[in-house]
């Protein structure tokens, strides 16, 4: 795991650099992100050629998290030698920052401790010297499981690095395994919802430069010798016969915020996933008996989505025929009439989705539908919200709460077949959720078959 003392210390840059170097050395790099982030895994996937994974100890307990990690490590091309597989996890925020900022769940350290995964601590050394000894020493004092095996210094000059590294090693006993100089060319620009997407950045040029600089200043073989970890025994989950029903999942430039773990959960419930593009295809796949519209940036493509007139018609007809539908955030927005007045879009939900200029909802959440079709009574599904857009009527069919608060609110449109809302869900946190959706898709398929 690449972790840091705080956000902005260079975790993403160092993680990308390490993945580039390992890939160049012939390794199969299995990429992970700690926490509910969709964009960092896109950068990981671009480098590694493999889908990114998300793990979070708020979403799932430690044993479930360990099993998800073990399964994700099998998500590689066939015949990939085991000795060549290396999991790299990018941490989130500061190493120990979890729920409310002070609880362990959801923190990078809690995930590393659950997996017994070695940590490389990334520290921004710009403008500091001996003070860094105090900072690092303090961080090490919280490391009760002795997981921090190395230190990487970011934004430090080549001339000062040897002296600073020796001081840190002498004082802490932890090896300093490399550094990067300060260079704004390594940084990825941000927007209101986080980093810009890879297709908005000249990542090929940036990656080339990053690899060159990193490979000169970090010995990855030394790093690997420090970071071996024990295997986790994987117990294959009980699952239905695979491919019981086809589920259409939107996936293109406008809709690409969907956890890989959600796909596995759907497959375990009996689904066969078929991808389609609301931007480029004319209709949802003919074989589909259920429809999932994930989050993304439909606001960036509202005009193009509107011009592709056959697709909204196809989705409206499917909904009219009572095909089960799940929609999250951007997908939820697409189901409305317009976004920022641009449309027409699907129009299954009334009104315009409008930009507020500020975060409407942000953070972890727990939710259940009031009628308990998707989430059993007494249980919840976990996820998060992060949206700057709002609608006049966000729905009132689900009960939502923050993990750190007893306050509850209403949101979303839910019935026996559908769950539509701004919320992003992590399906492994509540297996009944994808299972119920697949059941409804199977029922829909039977109904359609009878009509033929």
């Amino acid at each position: 795991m690449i972790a840091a003392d705080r956000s902005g210390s260079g975790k993403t840059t160092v993680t990308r650099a390490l993945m580039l170097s390992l890939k160049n050395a012939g390794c199969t790099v299995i990429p992970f992100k700690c926490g509910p982030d969709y964009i960092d895994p896109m950068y990981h996937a671009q480098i590694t050629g493999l889908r990114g994974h998300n793990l979070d100890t708020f979403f799932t307990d430690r044993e479930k998290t360990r099993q998800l990690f073990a399964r994700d490590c099998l998500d590689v091309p066939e015949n990939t030698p085991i000795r060549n597989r290396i999991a790299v996890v990018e941490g989130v925020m500061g190493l120990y920052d979890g729920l409310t900022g002070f609880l362990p769940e959801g923190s990078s350290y809690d995930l590393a401790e659950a997996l017994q995964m070695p940590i490389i601590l990334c520290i921004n050394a710009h403008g500091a010297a001996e003070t860094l000894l105090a900072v690092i020493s303090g961080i090490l004092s919280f490391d009760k499981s002795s997981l921090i095996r190395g230190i990487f210094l970011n934004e430090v000059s080549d001339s000062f690095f040897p002296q600073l590294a020796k001081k840190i090693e002498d004082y802490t006993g932890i090896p300093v395994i490399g550094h990067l100089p300060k260079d704004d060319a390594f940084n990825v620009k941000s927007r209101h919802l986080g980093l810009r997407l890879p297709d908005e950045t000249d990542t090929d040029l940036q990656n080339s430069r990053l690899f060159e600089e990193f490979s000169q200043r970090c010995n990855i073989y030394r790093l690997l010798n420090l970071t071996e970890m024990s295997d986790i025994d994987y117990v294959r989950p009980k699952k239905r016969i695979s491919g019981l029903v086809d589920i259409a999942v939107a996936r293109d430039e406008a809709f690409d915020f969907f956890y890989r773990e959600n796909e596995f959960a759907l497959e375990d419930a009996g689904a066969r996933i078929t991808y389609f593009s609301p931007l480029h295809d004319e209709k949802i796949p003919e074989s589909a008996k259920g429809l999932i519209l994930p989050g993304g940036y439909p606001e960036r493509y509202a005009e193009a989505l509107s011009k592709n007139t056959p697709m909204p018609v196809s989705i409206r007809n499917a909904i009219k025929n009572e095909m089960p539908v799940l929609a999250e955030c951007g997908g939820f927005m697409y189901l409305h009439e317009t976004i920022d007045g641009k449309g027409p879009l699907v129009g299954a939900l009334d009104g315009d989705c409008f930009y507020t200029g500020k975060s409407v909802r942000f953070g972890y959440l727990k939710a259940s539908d009031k009628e308990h079709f998707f989430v059993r009574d007494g249980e919840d599904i976990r996820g998060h919200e992060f949206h700057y857009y709002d609608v006049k009527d966000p729905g009132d069919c689900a009960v939502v709460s923050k993990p750190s608060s007893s306050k509850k609110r209403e949101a979303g449109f839910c019935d026996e077949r559908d769950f539509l809302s701004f919320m992003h869900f992590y399906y492994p946190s509540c297996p009944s959720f994808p299972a119920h959706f697949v059941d409804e898709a199977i029922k829909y398929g039977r109904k359609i078959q009878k009509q033929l």
Side-chain angles (χ1 to χ4, degrees), residues 78-196:
E78 289 186 20
N79 302 319
T80 302
I82 291 177
R83 67 181 180 275
N84 287 1
R85 302 179 192 179
I86 299 176
V88 178
V89 180
E90 179 179 346
V92 63
M93 300 173 61
L95 177 57
Y96 302 109
D97 301 331
L99 295 181
T100 74
F102 296 96
L103 296 176
E105 291 85 357
S107 71
S108 301
Y109 192 81
D110 202 46
L111 175 60
E113 196 170 43
L115 303 176
Q116 285 298 291
M117 172 173 277
I119 296 168
I120 299 298
L121 182 65
C122 176
I123 295 288
N124 189 312
H126 182 67
E130 187 156 347
T131 301
L132 291 175
L133 304 183
V135 171
I136 295 169
S137 179
I139 292 172
L140 291 173
S141 71
F142 279 69
D143 180 12
K144 305 304 182 186
S145 296
S146 301
L147 297 174
I148 298 174
R149 307 287 174 80
I151 295 167
F152 189 93
L153 299 178
N154 195 31
E155 297 195 2
V156 61
S157 68
D158 292 340
S159 59
F160 188 46
F161 171 73
Q163 181 183 353
L164 182 58
K166 186 176 187 309
K167 290 283 187 181
I168 292 172
E169 290 180 344
D170 289 346
Y171 190 78
T172 66
I174 304 293
V176 180
I177 52 93
H179 74 289
L180 277 173
K182 181 175 174 56
D183 190 335
D184 292 338
F186 298 153
N187 300 329
V188 179
K189 294 182 179 179
S190 299
R191 62 154 64 83
H192 61 277
L193 291 181
L195 297 179
R196 292 188 178 275

Side-chain angles (χ1 to χ4, degrees), residues 2-3 22 24 56 88 110 156 235 242 279 324 329 358 381 385 387 409 443 448:
I2 303 298
L22 291 170
N24 191 69
D56 190 301
V88 178
D110 202 46
V156 61
V235 180
S242 60
L279 269 173
C329 205
K358 61 181 180 181
I381 185 167
E385 284 181 295
H387 56 100
R409 61 182 174 86
K443 285 166 58 177
I448 295 299

Side-chain angles (χ1 to χ4, degrees), residues 1-138:
M1 175 183 286
I2 303 298
D5 60 326
R6 68 187 66 209
S7 294
S9 290
K11 290 189 301 291
T12 300
T13 298
V14 175
T15 300
R16 289 167 57 214
L18 177 58
M19 288 178 174
L20 285 163
S21 295
L22 291 170
K23 181 77 172 176
N24 191 69
C27 299
T28 298
V29 183
I30 307 166
F32 290 85
K33 174 65 181 179
C34 176
D37 186 296
Y38 294 106
I39 299 177
D40 283 338
M42 292 182 187
Y43 283 92
H44 301 167
Q46 183 193 55
I47 292 168
T48 66
L50 298 177
R51 290 284 299 280
H53 302 278
N54 293 74
L55 298 174
D56 190 301
T57 55
F58 165 68
F59 289 161
T60 51
D61 63 35
R62 286 193 168 197
E63 185 52 37
K64 183 65 174 285
T65 302
R66 287 171 60 82
Q67 288 299 301
L68 290 171
F69 173 76
R71 179 178 187 165
D72 290 344
C73 285
L74 301 175
D75 190 25
V76 297
E78 289 186 20
N79 302 319
T80 302
I82 291 177
R83 67 181 180 275
N84 287 1
R85 302 179 192 179
I86 299 176
V88 178
V89 180
E90 179 179 346
V92 63
M93 300 173 61
L95 177 57
Y96 302 109
D97 301 331
L99 295 181
T100 74
F102 296 96
L103 296 176
E105 291 85 357
S107 71
S108 301
Y109 192 81
D110 202 46
L111 175 60
E113 196 170 43
L115 303 176
Q116 285 298 291
M117 172 173 277
I119 296 168
I120 299 298
L121 182 65
C122 176
I123 295 288
N124 189 312
H126 182 67
E130 187 156 347
T131 301
L132 291 175
L133 304 183
V135 171
I136 295 169
S137 179

